């Protein structure tokens, strides 16, 4: 039962209300009862004193009037009035069974065996200090107690109303905390069951709502990551299936058809190039998955960036020349040391320069420009090639993305090269910036490598 937050809070609240407020109300009740009886007793004493004065006069000038004053007094207070002589002997009383004289300066509370508790007040009868007798007034305690009970009833009604209001408010408050938590739990369980589109509905604008919003953001991310991974797996299988189909077709033909030597060697070359393509793809996939799993860390070798690009340009010259493309390197830098793993740096720069050559038609130009700032080494590769539409620009660097799929089938590739570039650069806190004025207007790929 106490495992539930709601039960714990309600129990805690009830304990506070009942023990705290209840105790306070009980204590106040006793105080009210005692003070009502004291007030009543004091006023009875004052009455006794004033009646004592009046009786003194009456006994002197009109002894018959005394009985009337006694009766009037008894009626006024709702009790009994008794007159005693100077030596305390009973003179007259409104009661059949009058109480004996209790000589006192202030009222007393007395329990008589045959009656309920009585409040008794007595005072001397006489004028100017002369004592001719005593007047005693007694009233059952139940009379002021009934008045006190009226007040207590009001107090307990207030206590009950506030307790009920308090309990309702607490219940509302607790529910406003626990209900969103239950919703959150339900959403998490539904997501755990496989429905990743579930979200916490209408999170409130308070702190609990913040948890719901944070959960929704996380759910969004998880859903996107899973969708990306599914697309990645399906793209990867698709990319591997295409060369495999070609290889299977060629091997079947070689096994079953009677082919001449020339066709056979053409097929073997085709198979060889598909196998190379596949192994390149698998290498890229493995590297990407190692980066994703954070199993690849940034290298710490000191490499001269300028020399690296010079060597790369030299290596790629034949490829550019094959397409009659002018590949030029423009650099005012003598050298620029960067911290990296040589393979990582080579993969990044080779992919970008190779793409420039790949996506530039015959007779075009690819120029590499090197600059250095305080914080980074920058390599800008500008080509006069096919360019990139504004719509495709944000997708460049996403895994398996190839602009203009139908057209790009003619240009060999997998759509993983730049994804790899982006992932490696992330490892080094570097960036890839792509600019193009649109289709047919060339493109600039700028790599910034932190120093
Ligand atoms: P791949 O070259 O194997 O297709 P990349 O990841 O290297 O894969 O490139 C992704 C896509 O980006 C390419 O298919 C191409 O559409 C576009 N692209 C890359 N470099 C250039 C460039 N220099 N000019 C125009 N488009 C480019």
């Amino acid at each position: 039962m106490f495992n539930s937050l709601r039960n714990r809070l309600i129990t805690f609240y009830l304990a506070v209300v009942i023990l705290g407020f209840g105790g306070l109300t009980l204590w106040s009740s006793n105080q009210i009862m005692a003070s009502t009886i004291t007030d009543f007793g004091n006023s009875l004493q004052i009455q006794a004193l004033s009646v004592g004065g009046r009786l003194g006069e009456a006994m002197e000038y009109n002894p018959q009037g005394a009985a009337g004053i006694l009766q009037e007094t008894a009626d006024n207070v709702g009790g009994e009035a008794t007159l005693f002589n100077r030596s305390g002997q009973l003179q007259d009383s409104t009661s059949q069974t009058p109480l004996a004289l209790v000589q006192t300066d202030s009222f007393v509370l007395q329990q008589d065996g045959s009656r309920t508790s009585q409040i008794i007040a007595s005072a001397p009868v006489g004028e100017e200090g002369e004592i001719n007798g005593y007047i005693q007034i007694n009233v059952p305690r139940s009379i002021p107690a009934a008045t006190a009970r009226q007040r207590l009833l009001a107090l307990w009604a207030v206590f009950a109303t506030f307790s009920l209001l308090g309990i309702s408010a607490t219940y509302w408050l607790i529910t406003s905390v626990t209900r969103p938590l239950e919703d959150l739990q339900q959403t998490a369980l539904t997501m755990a069951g496989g429905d990743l589109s579930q979200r916490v509905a209408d999170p409130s604008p308070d702190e609990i709502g913040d948890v719901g919003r944070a959960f929704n953001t996380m759910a969004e991310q998880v859903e996107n990551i899973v969708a990306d991974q599914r697309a990645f797996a399906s793209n990867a299988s698709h990319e591997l299936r295409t060369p495999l189909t070609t290889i299977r077709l060629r091997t079947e033909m070689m096994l079953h058809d009677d082919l001449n030597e020339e066709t056979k060697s053409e097929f073997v070359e085709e198979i060889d190039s598909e196998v190379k393509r596949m192994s390149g793809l698998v290498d890229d996939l493995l590297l990407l998955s190692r980066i994703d799993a954070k199993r690849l860390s940034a290298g710490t070798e000191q490499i001269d960036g300028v020399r690296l690009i010079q060597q790369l340009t030299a290596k790629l010259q034949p490829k550019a020349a094959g397409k009659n493309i002018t590949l030029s390197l423009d650099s005012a830098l003598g050298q620029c040391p960067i911290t990296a793993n040589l393979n990582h740096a080579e993969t990044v720069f080779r992919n970008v320069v190779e793409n420039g050559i790949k996506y530039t038609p015959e007779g075009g130009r690819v120029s590499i420009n090197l600059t250095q700032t305080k914080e980074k080494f920058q390599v800008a590769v500008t080509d006069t090639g096919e360019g990139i539409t504004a719509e495709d620009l944000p997708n460049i660097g996403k895994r398996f993305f190839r602009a203009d799929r139908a057209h790009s089938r003619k240009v060999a590739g997998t759509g993983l090269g730049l994804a790899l570039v982006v992932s490696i650069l992330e490892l080094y806190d570097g960036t890839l910036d792509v600019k193009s004025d649109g289709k047919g207007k060339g493109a600039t790929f700028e790599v910034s490598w932190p120093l």
Side-chain angles (χ1 to χ4, degrees), residues 384-441:
T384 56
E386 64 184 51
I388 301 158
T389 61
E391 190 192 332
D392 284 338
L393 263 180
N395 294 318
I396 298 290
K398 286 191 182 163
R399 294 174 186 191
F400 294 109
F401 177 80
R402 304 197 74 202
D404 194 359
R405 282 204 155 249
H407 162 80
S408 59
R409 268 179 223 287
K410 286 181 242 147
V411 184
T414 57
L416 280 184
L418 289 179
L420 207 56
V421 168
V422 171
S423 290
I424 293 176
L425 282 173
E426 271 173 15
L427 211 59
Y428 290 88
D429 284 333
T431 53
L432 174 70
D433 189 28
V434 189
K435 289 190 192 102
S436 173
D437 288 335
K439 203 93 200 115
K441 299 206 169 135

